[in-house]
Amino acid sequence: MRLRHIKQGDVFFEEDCGRTVLLEALETAREVDDAKTGRHGHECRARVLRGDTCMADKHGVLTLFECHNPHGYGLNLYLA
């Protein structure tokens, strides 16, 4: 599944390099189209429910970002 499909309250897994983290979406994914930074894609803030990620702040919250066209690299997301 793609980040653009995530809605507020969804509980999902994100898998990266053999590590799996259970997350809850704090907001519905929104489109980002920022010419100044070159960021074009979708982003969403989520809270870590289980697992460990170095990207989360001290409250266990992180922002996920996925480019519109990830060219073979994208987030590995699965609904829980």
Side-chain angles (χ1 to χ4, degrees):
M1 91 183 277
R2 302 286 300 266
L3 186 61
R4 69 181 65 160
H5 302 124
I6 298 294
K7 306 286 185 233
Q8 183 176 7
D10 283 351
V11 176
F12 59 98
F13 292 100
E14 195 265 328
E15 185 179 64
D16 187 27
C17 298
R19 294 172 46 176
T20 302
V21 178
L22 183 64
L23 301 165
E24 177 187 12
L26 298 175
E27 61 190 16
T28 298
R30 64 185 175 282
E31 189 167 8
V32 176
D33 192 10
D34 189 341
K36 289 196 318 192
T37 63
R39 291 182 53 175
H40 306 286
H42 288 84
E43 71 178 15
C44 176
R45 291 180 47 80
R47 177 186 340 272
V48 176
L49 298 177
R50 188 174 60 225
D52 185 34
T53 176
C54 61
M55 299 183 318
D57 66 14
K58 65 181 180 180
H59 304 289
V61 175
L62 62 109
T63 300
L64 298 171
F65 177 78
E66 185 172 50
C67 295
H68 281 305
N69 189 0
H71 298 291
Y73 172 78
L75 298 174
N76 295 312
L77 305 177
Y78 309 93
L79 281 178

